[in-house]
């Protein structure tokens, strides 16, 4: 199976690195193994685009070549220095014990918009080594730097102290000498290693993205960490106090494994950047395979990048919202519509006429006339994924399950349902969103088929819920309630492939559901050269 919208075949790739916009070109680097379909021999692959959708591969930008990065060039970020151009900060692995140091690389020719060649200056490389008290084998993934009015650049580096996840803060006047601040900017007990930290401001008013150096009363800050223990990306919203070099999460933002996630599916080691061309912040995330290493070796590649997403502070201020970048719509081909379709309990209605159901973009809004049939919510149900595994799409409910069946075979031997189920708690309703891979494939050999799920914090006063799913052969990437809850699933159907894949809307709850509007587009393939 091949993911067509955005993919790089051959070998394995992982974390997105150093996304940036420079001289009219978007750059994306990523962790890449040129020698195999599993993680190893890590270099920085490099691709460029003018629209974030169609890509051209260039030769790898950074590869092991110096004593300080001989064992791998690990994740990092780009900072575009005013008047000087971009600098990449990355983690070099210096020895077999996985000693990690922070290094920098600069473009050889600043007038080349493709920035094809990168050099590692001899001085100040590495520019940071783990000092006393810092765990040198858990010291990696420098962030983009931000500029403060006190004349310093600042960066974070992810780490852990025993079981406590830590983001160390370093500051520099000249981008060469870096000094560790007295305290980490933030840390949290029992969260393990913080990989790929990302720290940026979001506007309190509206969807526009902000340059990383914005501070003040108009903004909140986001601290995202990729928790190695669970392999999910968690974030908190909070207040950055620049003169104290501290970040304090809001009371409403849980700091740990129960906290907010960018995505409740397969989405890790993400990295954001500010796009000055369209004044937006965009995140990239890595979606690894859910098949076996043997399958990866057979197909010869592993790992994809999710569709880049715009990210902003949700209007209620307690979480982020994400949406595929608008450029994705340029791949939309033939459109199919369904309107005002009633779904009684047990109805499965096929959406016909889509030319390529295995490569489609589906937007749908559902409504219902009453919340009365919502099942009671048990307060012990704290884990959405467990709840989805227990109450799958076939398990009859009151208000839901209702939604779509993606990548379905004609007789429903295989399908990946994306659906909602609404419960009634004492003072509120609880909305569960699932993207359930458990029936996605008849293949039973080493596939990971999780019932990915998240709760959706949404106002149900208008008795409506919306969903968008990007279906792309082995990927179902879904955005619930305008992007408040996102779930990316990797699935490997055996029957529901190419033109044998079908799309259905369904309802298995006693409350009738109306599909108010469904728009589905066959998607053209992106140009990837
Ligand atoms: N992947 C990189 C590390 C990072 C991890 C190595 C996250 O720098 O912590 O390939 O997936």
């Amino acid at each position: 199976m091949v993911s067509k919208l955005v993919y790089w075949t051959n070998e394995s790739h992982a974390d997105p690195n150093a996304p940036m916009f420079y001289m009219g070109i978007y750059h994306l680097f990523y962790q890449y193994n040129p020698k195999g379909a599993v993680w190893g021999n890590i270099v920085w692959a490099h691709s460029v685009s003018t629209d974030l959708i169609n890509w051209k591969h260039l030769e790898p930008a950074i590869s092991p070549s110096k004593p300080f990065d001989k064992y791998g060039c690990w994740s990092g970020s780009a900072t575009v220095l005013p008047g000087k151009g971009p600098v990449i900060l990355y983690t070099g692995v210096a020895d077999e014990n996985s000693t990690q140091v922070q290094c920098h690389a600069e473009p050889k020719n600043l007038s080349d918009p493709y920035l094809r060649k990168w050099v590692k200056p001899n001085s100040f490389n590495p520019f940071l080594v783990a000092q006393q008290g810092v765990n040198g084998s858990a010291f990696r993934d420098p962030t983009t730097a931000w500029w403060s009015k006190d004349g310093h650049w600042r960066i974070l580096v992810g780490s852990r102290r025993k079981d406590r996840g830590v983001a160390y803060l370093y500051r520099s006047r000249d981008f060469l000498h870096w000094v560790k601040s007295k305290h980490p900017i933030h840390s949290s007990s029992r969260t393990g290693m913080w990989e790929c930290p990302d720290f940026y401001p979001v506007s309190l008013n509206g969807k526009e993205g902000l340059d990383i150096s914005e501070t003040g009363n108009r903004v909140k800050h986001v601290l995202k960490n990729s928790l190695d223990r669970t392999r999910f990306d968690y974030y908190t919203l909070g207040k950055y106090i620049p003169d104290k070099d501290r970040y304090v999460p809001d009371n409403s933002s849980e700091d740990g494994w129960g906290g907010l996630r960018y995505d409740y599916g397969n989405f890790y080691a993400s990295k954001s950047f500010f796009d000055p061309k369209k004044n937006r912040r965009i995140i990239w995330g890595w979606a690894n395979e859910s098949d076996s290493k043997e399958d990866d070796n057979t197909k010869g590649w592993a790992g994809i990048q999710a569709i880049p997403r715009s990210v902003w502070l949700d209007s209620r201020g307690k979480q982020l919202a994400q949406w595929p970048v608008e450029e994705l719509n340029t791949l939309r081909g033939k459109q199919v519509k369904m309107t005002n379709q009633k779904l009684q309990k047990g109805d499965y209605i096929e959406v016909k006429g889509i030319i390529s159901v295995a490569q489609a973009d589906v937007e749908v809004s559902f409504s219902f006339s009453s919340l009365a049939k919502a099942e009671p919510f048990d307060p012990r149900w704290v884990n959405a994924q467990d709840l989805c595994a227990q109450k799958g799409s076939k398990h009859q409910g009151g208000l839901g399950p209702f939604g779509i069946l993606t990548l379905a075979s004609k007789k429903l031997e295989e399908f990946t349902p994306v659906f909602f189920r609404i419960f009634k708690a004492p003072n509120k309703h609880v909305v569960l969103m699932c993207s359930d891979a458990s029936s996605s494939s008849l293949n039973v050999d080493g596939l990971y088929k999780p019932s990915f799920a998240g709760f959706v914090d949404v106002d149900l006063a208008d008795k409506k819920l919306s969903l968008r799913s990007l279906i792309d052969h082995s990927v179902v990437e879904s955005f619930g309630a305008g992007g408040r809850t996102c779930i990316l699933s990797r699935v490997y159907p055996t029957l529901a492939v190419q033109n044998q894949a079908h799309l259905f809307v369904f309802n298995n709850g006693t409350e009738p559901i109306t599909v108010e509007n469904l728009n589905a587009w066959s998607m053209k393939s992106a140009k990837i050269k």
Side-chain angles (χ1 to χ4, degrees):
M1 225 56 40
V2 168
S3 170
K4 291 263 176 53
L5 294 182
V6 175
Y7 84 107
W8 290 266
T9 53
N10 303 324
E11 299 89 35
S12 142
H13 59 100
D15 318 8
N17 292 149
M20 68 170 143
F21 182 74
Y22 179 70
M23 285 176 75
I25 305 285
Y26 292 104
H27 292 256
L28 180 69
F29 305 82
Y30 46 95
Q31 296 281 284
Y32 180 66
N33 179 359
K35 297 184 186 159
V38 291
W39 186 89
N41 314 299
I42 293 296
V43 306
W44 277 47
H46 184 189
S47 299
V48 288
S49 171
T50 53
D51 61 6
L52 292 164
I53 297 298
N54 300 291
W55 290 87
K56 179 178 168 60
H57 299 306
L58 303 178
E59 68 199 74
I62 307 175
S63 303
S65 64
K66 302 274 186 184
F68 53 76
D69 65 9
K70 193 170 165 205
Y71 290 85
C73 299
W74 286 12
S75 284
S77 310
T79 306
V80 182
L81 300 181
K84 281 190 162 173
V87 177
I88 282 174
L89 306 183
Y90 69 100
T91 298
V93 182
D95 60 29
E96 280 168 324
N97 300 326
S98 196
T99 298
Q100 294 151 32
V101 296
Q102 314 316 319
C103 320
H104 65 118
E106 293 172 357
K108 191 165 183 190
N109 175 6
L110 278 175
S111 56
D112 168 17
Y114 282 3
L115 301 171
R116 284 172 195 271
K117 295 262 184 258
W118 289 76
V119 290
K120 300 168 189 169
N122 286 329
S123 50
F124 296 96
N125 243 341
F127 68 88
L128 277 183
V129 296
Q131 293 154 301
Q132 224 183 2
V134 174
N135 179 344
S137 59
F139 179 57
R140 56 185 180 268
D141 310 337
T143 62
T144 298
W146 68 95
W147 170 256
S148 304
K149 291 195 189 86
D150 65 2
H152 286 92
W153 291 99
R154 283 174 167 77
I155 56 168
L156 304 182
V157 179
S159 187
R160 80 177 154 80
R161 267 196 321 246
K162 298 204 169 115
D163 206 20
R164 173 174 278 273
V166 178
Y168 291 116
L169 188 144
Y170 292 83
R171 60 175 180 274
S172 169
R173 279 191 184 277
D174 58 6
F175 226 81
L176 295 170
H177 301 81
W178 291 86
V179 176
K180 182 161 157 287
S181 77
K182 196 163 163 211
H183 307 283
I185 194 167
H186 190 52
S187 70
S188 184
S189 60
R190 293 189 298 277
T191 50
M193 175 68 197
W194 284 6
E195 298 191 311
C196 303
D198 199 9
F199 186 60
Y200 56 89
V202 283
S203 170
L204 287 172
N205 309 300
K207 295 183 172 182
E208 269 201 1
L210 298 174
D211 178 82
I212 189 164
S213 301
E214 289 267 349
T215 52
N217 296 333
R218 300 176 41 220
V219 314
K220 249 186 205 307
H221 269 76
V222 177
L223 176 63
K224 182 279 298 184
N225 292 300
S226 305
L227 298 195
D228 193 22
R229 289 275 180 79
T230 56
R231 309 296 282 177
F232 294 124
D233 279 11
Y234 297 80
Y235 69 89
T236 52
L237 294 167
K239 191 163 183 49
Y240 171 45
I241 312 161
D243 49 355
K244 295 213 166 73
D245 275 342
R246 291 281 201 175
Y247 164 79
V248 183
D250 293 347
N251 287 339
S252 56
S253 238
E254 190 181 329
D255 196 9
W257 290 4
L260 292 162
R261 286 195 222 158
Y262 277 167
D263 193 293
Y264 292 84
N266 192 339
F267 188 92
Y268 192 65
S270 64
K271 179 85 61 189
S272 76
F273 76 107
F274 173 63
D275 171 14
K277 183 176 169 191
K278 294 200 173 177
N279 281 335
R280 58 189 169 173
R281 182 159 289 273
I282 293 173
I283 49 175
W284 283 97
W286 163 43
N288 201 5
E289 303 304 304
S290 291
D291 62 359
S292 65
K293 293 228 171 359
E294 293 71 36
D295 284 341
D296 293 344
N297 282 324
T298 308
K299 67 186 196 259
W301 62 275
I304 59 165
Q305 302 296 332
I307 300 294
R309 304 173 177 177
S310 291
V311 61
W312 66 91
L313 183 67
D314 176 66
S315 54
R316 294 199 284 178
K318 291 201 175 131
Q319 66 164 99
L320 298 171
Q322 300 159 69
W323 201 246
V325 293
E326 61 191 14
E327 289 87 340
L328 180 68
N329 299 358
T330 60
L331 296 181
R332 285 175 171 175
K334 190 187 165 213
Q335 184 177 359
V336 164
K337 283 177 185 289
M338 181 184 266
T339 45
N340 210 14
Q341 172 68 57
K342 277 262 176 310
L343 296 174
Q344 303 295 340
K345 177 171 77 73
D347 279 350
Y348 283 71
I349 295 183
E350 182 163 4
V351 182
K352 293 201 168 135
I354 306 170
I355 308 168
S356 58
V357 177
Q359 196 170 305
D361 181 355
V362 184
E363 283 197 76
V364 51
S365 56
F366 299 99
S367 68
F368 38 88
S369 52
S370 158
L371 288 155
K373 296 210 175 82
E375 302 154 78
F377 185 74
D378 182 334
R380 287 171 301 183
W381 292 338
V382 284
N383 184 313
Q385 190 169 326
D386 290 348
L387 183 55
C388 177
Q390 189 186 324
K391 290 180 178 284
S393 65
K394 290 180 268 189
H395 189 114
Q396 189 196 307
L399 184 43
F402 63 86
I404 60 177
L405 294 191
T406 69
L407 296 172
S409 58
K410 187 139 190 74
K411 294 190 184 150
L412 302 187
E413 300 92 333
E414 291 181 336
F415 58 92
T416 301
V418 186
F419 61 97
F420 299 109
R421 188 167 190 131
I422 299 165
F423 299 92
K424 173 93 183 84
N427 299 314
K428 58 173 185 176
H429 285 90
V430 178
V431 180
L432 176 72
M433 172 175 159
C434 299
S435 176
D436 187 0
S438 60
S439 301
S440 58
S441 177
L442 292 177
N443 181 358
V444 287
D445 286 342
L447 285 192
Y448 174 47
K449 298 182 196 169
S451 301
F452 282 136
F455 293 111
V456 194
D457 190 5
V458 60
D459 184 356
L460 291 175
D462 61 358
K463 304 191 190 71
K464 284 186 201 289
L465 270 173
S466 69
L467 175 67
R468 180 173 182 189
S469 286
L470 308 173
I471 303 162
D472 190 10
H473 301 270
S474 65
V475 195
V476 179
E477 190 170 356
S478 302
F479 301 81
R484 286 202 175 95
T485 299
C486 308
I487 311 180
L488 191 155
S489 295
R490 298 300 311 276
V491 290
Y492 307 86
T494 60
L495 303 171
V497 298
Q498 308 291 347
N499 58 8
Q500 300 302 309
H502 300 262
L503 177 74
F504 294 82
V505 286
F506 79 97
N507 175 25
N508 268 329
T510 46
E511 171 70 28
I513 300 294
T514 303
V515 176
E516 293 213 324
N517 274 299
L518 180 148
N519 289 295
W521 292 264
S522 301
M523 295 297 273
K524 291 173 258 178
S525 296
K527 293 190 189 76
I528 316 268
K529 290 190 276 197

